[in-house]
Amino acid sequence: QVEQVKLLDRFSTSNKSLTGTLYLTATHLLFIDSSQRETWILHHHIAAVEKLPLTTSGCPLVIQCKNFRIVHFVVPRERDCHDIYNSLLQLSRTAKYEELYAFSYNPKQNESEQVKGWQLIDLAEEYKRMGVPNAHWQLSDANRDYKICETYPRELYVPRTASKPIIVGSSKFRSKGRFPVLSYYHKNKEAAICRCSQPLSGFSARCLEDEHMLQAISKANPSNRYMYVMDTRPKLNAMANRAAGKGYENEDNYSNIRFQFVGIENIHVMRSSLQKLLEVSGTRGLSVNDFLSGLENSGWLRHIKAVLDAAVFLAKAIAVESASVLVHCSDGWDRTSQVCSLGALLLDSYYRTIKGFMVLIEKDWISFGHKFSDRCCQLDGDPKEISPVFTQFLESVWNLTEQFPQAFEYNEAFLLQIHEHVHSCQFGNFLGNCQKEREELKLKEKTYSLWPFLLAEQKKYQNPLYNPDFSPELTLLEPNTVSFNFKFWRNMYHQFDRSMHPRQSVFNLIMNTSEQNKQLEEDIKELEAKIKQRNGQSGVVLMKEQEQTARPAPVALKSPPCFQKEQPPMPVNDAVRTIEGSNTADNRYSELVSEFSKAEPAVVSLEYGVARMTC
Amino acid sequence: MEFAELIKTPRADNVVLHRPFHSAVEGTLCLTGHHLIFSSRRQDNAEELWLLHSNIDSIEKRFVGSLGTIVIKCKDLRIIQLDIPGMEECLNIASSIEVLSTLDSVTLMYPFFYRPMFEVLEDGWSSFLLEQEFDLLSSVTNEWRLSCVNKDFSVCPSYPPVVIVPKSIDDEALRKVALFRYGGRFPVLSYYHKKNGMAMMRSSQPLTGTNGRRCKEDEKLINATLRSGRRGFVIDTRPLAVAQQARAKGGGFEQEVHYPQWRRIHKYIERFNILQESFIKLVEACNDQSHNMDRWLSKLEASNWLTHIKELLTAACLAAQCIDREGASVLVHGSEGTDSTLQVTSLAQIILDPRCRTIHGFEALVVREWLQAGHPFQQRCAQSAYSNSKQKWEAPVFLLFLECVWQIHRQFPCSFEFNEQFLILLFEHAYASQFGTFLGNNENERAKLKLPQKTMSLWSWVNRPDELSRFQNPLYEANSLVIWPSVAPQSLQLWEGVFLRWNRPSKFLEEAEEERINIIRYNKELQAKVNALRRQLAEMEADEEAQEE
């Protein structure tokens, strides 16, 4: 505990600050300012801590979080600052999974609720919904014991004609044994999205089983002879891989394939792109042109566009040409996950519902072994493994929600909340790198699943404009991917920089109005019932009337006739303060909600102070 | 002159109309003196397009065999293409359009011929008189007076006949001050901040020249707005260097020695051809769908448009801050006082004054701070982003103002009574209109053209309840506070409603907007119903009680 600590506003030049007390708990960093407002930061969210040179007012400490919050404290005594710095360094770096918050987090659920929570998303059920197994596709038990591929789930769907030797042979010809398997099946077109890793083709190697495997996939689609093979890497990268004995499919060796590169950059490029983006957006007193050129130089929006373009290509191949598509990159767990999941999202409106989106993430990201632990740096590990691949997926979805405001059941808060928990290590879902690892950690017994918590408060995540009839089942969503449609996601990267956001949020207003409408409908029903009841009583016995007058006058009588109007359709600010990320209560977002008051900001967020006027 | 002489081919059949995101339509094209009319012949779904010739910014023609193609680029930024069979017809039509869209004489413009099909409920020409504004002002302060010193436009040709000035300054002094200010634009009241009694004045630059000429009356005039012992701020919309250079041409700025109670701030706002070029570049970038991300962002950057928006908003916030936070009076001017000055004073009022965020109040603001204040609409809005003429007096000054309002609107979406469509409407009508409101460059010219007698006012039409309902913001709830917008680049956005309006399919966005309105409307219905039911129930209970007694 350190007192008299100042919290500086990241963008204000007026040096206004809040003074308060800083506490360190086992899981959180807590700052309580003089007006008793609390800021909670989960240790797992801390990406970097930096001590700046001593100033006259104290020792500045800058904390960068994985959810793009940046806090700037000034600690009066250098020794305190040093202690905090060291403690945070230790606390934010975890060496073992068992030390992560999820293993100590106790949401007061009993065991059966915990089990039920984990059963909420059932992938077998999901494949059934898609329409497999069927005449062409079957469940394979080849990987039941993770013998063929450690990073795949146990249950995999493959073409019926792909026998076990073919599977085994193909897996030996693919990076990390990740052979082609079903990711999504489109009932109406009978076409499939399959995924795998790159072939170990080098410059000339062939594998008959692998060729058979691809043929089996294309034959499993009765409506189209040829299939697409999408290599999501830039051609140059794929060619370079050949030198390492890896590479891409040779069209001459595989019958009826159409091979296509789509040019999404690798995790390292993405990591440094985000780094550049954050550097630009974090600059104080940024000019418009510096912002735009910084945005351009970071390449971030270009990458988002590339991912979405690839997904559109995939979705169109299936919806328009009824062709099956095999997607891979290098290892088949980053770009492949992005493209497969976004493609399915464009094809199938189920994934645009709250439950469906959870299923999509469980399927294409969690079960197929996107390395959440490495990419989000859950444990202290190789910084070169960190990459915002999943963040890009969420951002692509957000872009779609902007273009199709009525097509999604969920809203931006849902995406932000998922992003929050991918990094929070508070729930078991995203821990570890693959299913095998999760089983070994016994996550289902020792931790809780995020999804039931999100579902329990789904009101917050519902899009009031959602129209289920917007796109009937299995009709393709066709986004416009002209560059000007891609925008900087302010609510993600400046989530905590309140001064940058609109002071009044149309979204919150509509959401609350829509919520209020439901309540009013109920009220009307109730009132109508009461009136009906009274009408029925018109021939009442005197007795009953007496009894009624004896009762206190109904509330409605006492309140002014239009008291409903006095409750403006504004968000009710939750008086209960919740620990940030400590439960799924979206308290980060409610900070924004509380901003919705029509009050003047306390701090004039302009970049000049009158004191600096020049004459 | 007869328009018929200019129209050699008044009608062409089998013309095909192409528009982005619409399928091509075949139909008949007719030319009249003021309109290009296209009507599809399909009986099931007849479609008509009426385009004012004055809305046409540029026209290009090309031929493939005998099939001519005309590409028409409009001032509202829309681009349409017409395929016209027959070379002669096509040439005739193209040349007619070219002549008709660039008529020199104002009196040949459509507003002089337009006969409204609606009943005028209130004549917009007399809806916003400065006298009314002054009545409101006199109810809170008696420090100001109406002056008719300019009643025959002799003191300042670009000012209206009536202006509001400090009470202690007589007309004789005003005449002297007018000689000391560029174009005779002496300081007048622009806005009075009721909350603290501070005033915002506007004028043109003082004519100090190289030898530092001074004018006692000018000093007295602006000092009259100060409280004793308090200082004021002069916001000069030019950089210091430009202001200094202006002295060589007889202009200048208020020097500290002669205005010791005033602090001068130079807040540079771009003007004229720089703005016009920026506008042209932005529209060019928005119209090219083939740009990859890097190119799009660098083109957006190179246009500098959003930089101008940010600078303008910052200057307006600065003026508002001086008044509201510093409790100081402000004088705003640039060189002529007809462009950047008006942008700053009108935007500051949007920030400070809740009344300006209502529909009527905003109209009054446009009339007072733009039309009456002598913004030369006819010069500035003669051409839009597609014109090749590049006249130095063309500039999207008013559009920039509207976009800044839009940016503030986006940040405070519940504080404005009007919606985005209203701002777009004003943009369209400033450039081409059937109404006379934006014709002429100042009140003097409008009086000479007898616009109030000969043309219809935009306000007469807009303020009819039927029309007004289209421009109302369903989210509006009066907000009496000062609204401070964020000017961080991350908070500013491209005004898609204007710049991408014709370049992207907007069906889904429009439907979503409709849904939003429905939710709000439904909410009001439900509330009314709940209240009615409550009342009914209460009455029944009261009746029962009465019966019992």
Side-chain angles (χ1 to χ4, degrees):
Chain A
Q1 175 180 341
V2 182
E3 280 173 33
Q4 290 296 313
V5 172
K6 289 202 183 95
L7 176 63
L8 301 184
D9 187 305
R10 179 177 169 205
F11 289 102
S12 152
T13 44
S14 54
N15 282 334
K16 282 201 177 169
S17 62
L18 296 164
T19 307
T21 310
L22 200 63
Y23 300 89
L24 270 180
T25 75
T27 52
H28 289 82
L29 176 74
L30 168 63
F31 177 77
I32 304 180
D33 66 24
S34 46
S35 50
Q36 296 302 310
R37 276 199 350 176
E38 299 172 12
T39 307
W40 291 81
I41 295 167
L42 190 64
H43 296 324
H44 295 317
H45 268 147
I46 296 176
V49 195
E50 197 186 348
K51 238 171 40 165
L52 299 182
L54 200 65
T55 67
T56 47
S57 51
C59 190
L61 190 70
V62 180
I63 300 174
Q64 277 185 40
C65 300
K66 293 173 187 168
N67 54 6
F68 308 118
R69 180 199 274 266
I70 293 179
V71 281
H72 195 141
F73 291 113
V74 177
V75 185
R77 279 172 45 203
E78 200 189 354
R79 254 197 63 189
D80 290 340
C81 183
H82 192 70
D83 289 346
I84 299 172
Y85 174 77
N86 282 337
S87 313
L88 285 180
L89 273 192
Q90 274 181 357
L91 289 165
S92 63
R93 282 183 195 164
T94 315
K96 285 202 315 230
Y97 281 117
E98 284 78 4
E99 288 164 11
L100 291 174
Y101 186 31
F103 288 88
S104 59
Y105 173 63
N106 183 0
K108 301 203 180 70
Q109 269 192 349
N110 61 37
E111 220 168 282
S112 77
E113 281 173 319
Q114 185 180 14
V115 172
K116 251 172 83 187
W118 280 111
Q119 286 165 346
L120 183 71
I121 305 296
D122 179 359
L123 289 184
E125 201 57 42
E126 168 58 9
Y127 284 101
K128 214 182 278 170
R129 188 195 68 85
M130 291 179 205
V132 287
N134 61 19
H136 301 289
W137 294 88
Q138 66 177 6
L139 177 65
S140 158
D141 60 0
N143 200 41
R144 208 170 41 197
D145 305 313
Y146 297 116
K147 284 220 172 97
I148 295 183
C149 173
E150 291 200 338
T151 57
Y152 266 172
R154 288 176 192 273
E155 298 187 339
L156 293 166
Y157 292 81
V158 294
R160 275 195 193 277
T161 49
S163 63
K164 192 145 182 198
I166 291 182
I167 292 175
V168 173
S170 168
S171 78
K172 287 192 175 135
F173 189 62
R174 294 274 168 182
S175 236
K176 309 277 193 311
R178 295 171 66 93
F179 62 97
V181 295
L182 183 75
S183 160
Y184 176 74
Y185 180 75
H186 195 287
K187 288 199 272 245
N188 294 1
K189 304 283 180 189
E190 299 179 276
I193 302 177
C194 294
R195 55 184 293 170
C196 60
S197 60
Q198 64 184 339
L200 304 175
S201 54
F203 289 100
S204 59
R206 291 182 62 164
C207 168
L208 282 178
E209 288 92 340
D210 194 62
E211 288 160 26
H212 279 303
M213 187 75 199
L214 264 65
Q215 207 162 13
I217 292 172
S218 80
K219 280 197 174 141
N221 179 354
S223 39
N224 201 324
R225 236 168 29 83
Y226 62 87
M227 69 182 281
Y228 282 98
V229 175
M230 272 175 86
D231 189 327
T232 56
R233 299 169 293 183
K235 189 173 182 183
L236 221 70
N237 299 20
M239 281 167 69
N241 263 304
R242 287 202 299 193
K246 299 164 188 171
Y248 53 93
E249 291 81 357
N250 183 340
E251 263 180 301
D252 300 337
N253 300 341
Y254 295 84
S255 48
N256 297 324
I257 68 161
R258 295 189 180 179
F259 188 83
Q260 177 81 32
F261 286 110
V262 290
I264 303 175
E265 300 287 351
N266 65 25
I267 57 165
H268 311 295
V269 175
M270 300 308 190
R271 179 179 56 247
S272 78
S273 168
L274 179 64
Q275 195 52 43
K276 283 182 200 153
L277 179 79
L278 295 179
E279 265 164 39
V280 172
S281 67
T283 311
R284 275 188 187 201
L286 188 62
S287 78
V288 172
N289 282 355
D290 286 347
F291 176 62
L292 289 174
S293 67
L295 201 57
E296 181 195 337
N297 290 336
S298 78
W300 184 253
L301 291 180
R302 173 161 51 86
H303 300 316
I304 299 288
K305 177 170 152 58
V307 171
L308 206 52
D309 274 330
V312 170
F313 178 88
L314 166 64
K316 278 196 174 153
I318 292 197
V320 180
E321 297 177 55
S322 300
S324 290
V325 185
L326 175 65
V327 184
H328 72 73
C329 45
S330 297
D331 291 321
W333 50 43
D334 293 311
R335 291 167 271 201
T336 303
S337 294
Q338 287 177 329
V339 174
C340 288
S341 54
L342 282 170
L345 185 87
L346 293 174
L347 287 165
D348 194 333
S349 58
Y350 175 63
Y351 299 127
R352 292 171 229 143
T353 64
I354 290 183
K355 178 91 184 284
F357 194 62
M358 297 173 177
V359 169
L360 186 66
I361 291 174
E362 278 286 342
K363 176 168 70 73
D364 273 310
W365 292 87
I366 296 174
S367 90
F368 278 115
H370 172 67
K371 302 202 288 174
F372 277 106
S373 178
D374 288 359
R375 299 288 176 263
C376 305
C377 193
Q378 292 171 350
L379 299 183
D380 200 13
D382 183 359
K384 286 209 176 102
E385 282 286 315
I386 303 172
S387 188
V389 175
F390 188 73
T391 307
Q392 289 182 321
F393 162 70
L394 292 177
E395 184 160 337
S396 305
V397 176
W398 173 75
N399 268 297
L400 293 172
T401 64
E402 288 284 288
Q403 277 196 42
F404 303 97
Q406 295 194 267
F408 292 81
E409 191 192 4
Y410 41 89
N411 60 29
E412 190 181 34
F414 187 58
L415 302 176
L416 293 175
Q417 187 70 343
I418 291 174
H419 183 261
E420 177 90 2
H421 284 296
V422 163
H423 294 95
S424 74
C425 301
Q426 186 180 349
F427 296 94
N429 307 61
F430 302 104
L431 298 193
N433 284 324
C434 59
Q435 294 295 58
K436 184 168 178 262
E437 203 173 7
R438 288 182 193 106
E439 285 176 20
E440 285 163 5
L441 288 168
K442 297 203 170 56
L443 291 180
K444 290 197 177 176
E445 293 149 46
K446 293 184 176 165
T447 70
Y448 296 84
S449 165
L450 167 68
W451 309 126
F453 292 87
L454 291 185
L455 220 47
E457 44 177 29
Q458 60 172 311
K459 262 186 192 170
K460 281 186 192 169
Y461 306 125
Q462 263 159 359
N463 169 12
L465 302 179
Y466 175 55
N467 176 7
D469 304 327
F470 177 83
S471 49
E473 207 193 354
L474 301 182
T475 46
L476 178 67
L477 213 53
E478 286 184 80
N480 182 335
T481 59
V482 175
S483 301
F484 56 56
N485 289 298
F486 294 84
K487 278 166 236 149
F488 174 71
W489 194 3
R490 190 180 56 213
N491 287 348
M492 172 66 98
Y493 303 104
H494 289 295
Q495 223 178 123
F496 300 96
D497 304 310
R498 292 190 220 167
S499 61
M500 277 186 190
H501 297 278
R503 292 285 154 175
Q504 300 168 328
S505 151
V506 175
F507 183 81
N508 288 335
L509 182 85
I510 297 291
M511 194 151 103
N512 288 292
T513 308
S514 163
E515 200 53 45
Q516 197 193 33
N517 284 354
K518 282 181 204 150
Q519 183 57 43
L520 286 171
E521 281 172 349
E522 293 287 311
D523 289 358
I524 286 174
K525 263 188 219 152
E526 203 178 301
L527 285 167
E528 278 174 345
K530 273 191 194 161
I531 288 171
K532 207 172 162 193
Q533 194 193 347
R534 277 184 190 266
N535 282 338
Q537 286 173 351
S538 48
V540 276
V541 221
L542 204 71
M543 272 289 290
K544 196 146 195 195
E545 278 185 39
Q546 275 174 334
E547 188 191 323
Q548 264 181 0
T549 45
R551 278 195 336 210
V555 193
L557 246 176
K558 281 185 176 166
S559 41
C562 56
F563 91 101
Q564 270 293 336
K565 274 204 170 153
E566 292 182 349
Q567 300 178 334
M570 278 194 229
V572 183
N573 201 354
D574 243 348
V576 193
R577 285 201 203 88
T578 40
I579 296 179
E580 177 151 314
S582 71
N583 65 19
T584 47
D586 185 7
N587 51 337
R588 300 170 293 93
Y589 216 68
S590 68
E591 272 179 29
L592 293 182
V593 174
S594 69
E595 274 301 303
F596 178 64
S597 69
K598 302 196 168 182
E600 282 173 56
V603 185
V604 183
S605 55
L606 304 173
E607 26 148 70
Y608 47 79
V610 175
R612 296 202 309 159
M613 290 172 186
T614 47
C615 287
Chain B
M1 184 183 71
E2 284 292 319
F3 290 118
E5 290 168 20
L6 299 173
I7 306 170
K8 280 174 228 144
T9 303
R11 179 193 158 112
D13 289 320
N14 303 322
V15 173
V16 180
L17 167 72
H18 301 271
R19 287 164 298 178
F21 306 105
H22 290 267
S23 42
V25 191
E26 193 184 314
T28 303
L29 180 73
C30 293
L31 287 188
T32 71
H34 295 285
H35 285 95
L36 176 156
I37 305 160
F38 176 89
S39 57
S40 77
R41 292 148 135 221
R42 268 185 296 163
Q43 286 177 342
D44 51 330
N45 185 17
E47 211 180 334
E48 272 193 8
L49 172 80
W50 287 64
L51 199 64
L52 263 180
H53 291 316
S54 56
N55 188 7
I56 294 172
D57 206 25
S58 86
I59 168 167
E60 292 158 22
K61 49 185 185 286
R62 52 172 186 261
F63 291 92
V64 180
S66 69
L67 180 75
T69 293
I70 301 181
V71 176
I72 295 175
K73 299 183 174 177
C74 303
K75 291 177 187 165
D76 60 14
L77 308 182
R78 140 175 53 176
I79 297 179
I80 62 170
Q81 184 189 322
L82 295 166
D83 296 342
I84 302 168
M87 188 177 284
E88 199 191 328
E89 284 83 353
C90 185
L91 281 173
N92 284 343
I93 287 169
S95 70
S96 299
I97 293 175
E98 229 166 285
V99 177
L100 289 167
S101 62
T102 52
L103 292 176
D104 281 337
S105 167
V106 181
T107 51
L108 291 176
M109 303 286 264
Y110 187 51
F112 286 91
F113 299 83
Y114 171 67
R115 291 291 160 263
M117 303 288 281
F118 58 86
E119 189 196 349
V120 176
L121 301 174
E122 184 194 350
D123 185 4
W125 286 112
S126 49
S127 293
F128 305 98
L129 301 176
L130 203 64
E131 285 83 351
Q132 298 164 353
E133 202 66 34
F134 183 71
D135 286 346
L136 283 175
L137 182 66
S138 349
S139 65
V140 287
T141 169
N142 57 3
E143 294 164 349
W144 302 86
R145 69 179 185 97
L146 271 183
S147 165
C148 298
V149 69
N150 196 40
K151 65 177 182 295
D152 49 6
F153 304 105
S154 58
V155 176
C156 171
S158 61
Y159 266 177
V162 193
V163 291
I164 301 175
V165 293
K167 201 170 203 169
S168 56
I169 308 299
D170 61 20
D171 283 357
E172 202 40 51
L174 291 178
R175 284 196 187 91
K176 285 186 184 154
V177 177
L179 293 173
F180 181 65
R181 293 273 172 180
Y182 185 92
R185 295 176 68 91
F186 53 89
V188 295
L189 180 72
S190 164
Y191 170 69
Y192 180 84
H193 198 46
K194 275 187 227 145
K195 197 164 125 191
N196 58 11
M198 291 302 133
M200 179 161 59
M201 315 260 292
R202 56 176 156 75
S203 68
S204 59
Q205 62 178 337
L207 303 173
T208 56
T210 37
N211 47 10
R213 203 158 70 93
R214 65 187 285 197
C215 170
K216 286 270 169 55
E217 287 79 6
D218 188 78
E219 292 156 27
K220 199 177 154 208
L221 168 54
I222 71 166
N223 285 340
T225 67
L226 295 177
R227 295 279 147 83
S228 62
R230 300 297 292 269
R231 297 223 293 177
F233 290 93
V234 175
I235 296 179
D236 192 325
T237 64
R238 305 162 294 179
L240 180 61
V242 173
Q244 278 166 341
Q245 283 160 15
R247 288 188 298 193
K249 290 182 193 155
F253 52 87
E254 292 81 359
Q255 268 159 327
E256 289 82 1
V257 270
H258 301 145
Y259 300 85
Q261 286 158 287
W262 292 82
R263 212 164 152 187
R264 215 175 54 248
I265 307 166
H266 291 274
K267 194 79 197 105
Y268 183 38
I269 295 171
E270 256 336 321
R271 50 202 83 211
F272 303 126
N273 57 329
I274 307 252
L275 295 180
Q276 185 70 10
E277 264 167 41
S278 166
F279 183 35
I280 291 170
K281 278 187 193 161
L282 176 68
V283 170
E284 220 174 72
C286 291
N287 281 346
D288 195 335
Q289 308 259 330
S290 66
H291 286 329
N292 65 27
M293 187 60 73
D294 290 359
R295 195 152 171 74
W296 156 246
L297 287 173
S298 72
K299 285 238 167 186
L300 185 61
E301 182 197 341
S303 80
N304 273 326
W305 184 262
L306 286 171
T307 302
H308 302 318
I309 295 289
K310 181 174 152 85
E311 293 307 319
L312 192 48
L313 275 174
T314 309
C317 288
L318 181 70
Q321 195 181 20
C322 290
I323 294 170
D324 187 67
R325 293 293 161 102
E326 299 294 308
S329 283
V330 169
L331 169 68
V332 184
H333 70 73
S335 313
E336 292 91 346
T338 53
D339 295 278
S340 55
T341 305
L342 305 181
Q343 289 176 323
V344 173
T345 57
S346 54
L347 283 170
Q349 290 178 59
I350 295 280
I351 294 166
L352 292 168
D353 187 0
R355 203 162 56 97
C356 294
R357 302 172 216 141
T358 65
I359 294 185
H360 191 268
F362 187 70
E363 290 172 357
L365 181 76
V366 169
V367 171
R368 199 172 66 237
E369 291 296 299
W370 290 87
L371 291 161
Q372 294 174 349
H375 174 67
F377 276 98
Q378 198 165 314
Q379 289 184 348
R380 299 288 179 263
C381 302
Q383 302 271 236
S384 169
Y386 300 123
S387 140
N388 305 317
S389 75
K390 301 234 169 96
Q391 297 285 8
K392 76 170 195 317
W393 54 74
E394 287 158 9
V397 176
F398 187 60
L399 174 61
L400 272 163
F401 158 70
L402 292 176
E403 176 163 346
C404 287
V405 176
W406 177 81
Q407 299 278 1
I408 304 175
H409 195 300
R410 274 196 64 93
Q411 296 188 28
F412 296 87
C414 307
S415 303
F416 289 82
E417 195 193 0
F418 50 88
N419 59 16
E420 178 182 7
Q421 292 312 313
F422 188 63
L423 297 172
I424 296 175
L425 175 95
L426 292 181
F427 159 60
E428 289 173 342
H429 282 272
Y431 280 84
S433 176
Q434 67 268 44
F435 302 106
T437 301
F438 291 104
L439 290 183
N441 289 311
N442 49 51
E443 292 295 275
N444 188 5
E445 286 187 26
R446 284 181 200 109
K448 278 186 192 147
L449 289 165
K450 295 201 169 61
L451 291 178
Q453 293 81 37
K454 291 188 171 168
T455 71
M456 180 59 58
S457 161
L458 171 65
W459 317 122
S460 304
W461 175 69
V462 164
N463 286 336
R464 293 158 42 81
D466 298 356
E467 303 302 329
L468 216 49
S469 64
R470 289 194 292 137
F471 301 116
Q472 261 152 0
N473 173 10
L475 308 177
Y476 176 62
E477 203 174 303
N479 172 3
S480 61
L481 297 169
V482 175
I483 52 176
W484 300 105
S486 159
V487 297
Q490 293 97 321
S491 306
L492 302 178
Q493 283 190 319
L494 178 69
W495 191 5
E496 299 177 4
V498 165
F499 296 106
L500 301 181
R501 184 178 176 190
W502 314 101
N503 300 337
R504 57 165 189 188
S506 53
K507 183 168 158 266
F508 300 134
L509 301 179
E510 279 160 19
E511 282 172 1
E513 183 55 32
E514 221 166 275
E515 180 61 24
R516 273 181 210 116
I517 294 173
N518 283 339
I519 288 173
I520 300 283
R521 193 175 296 146
Y522 185 49
N523 183 262
K524 286 184 181 142
E525 275 170 29
L526 286 176
Q527 283 188 354
K529 197 165 174 192
V530 164
N531 288 334
L533 287 173
R534 285 228 163 88
R535 222 167 293 136
Q536 196 186 342
L537 194 64
E539 274 164 20
M540 287 171 91
E541 278 162 352
D543 279 355
E544 280 165 22
E545 268 177 61
Q547 259 178 29
E548 196 175 330
E549 278 163 24

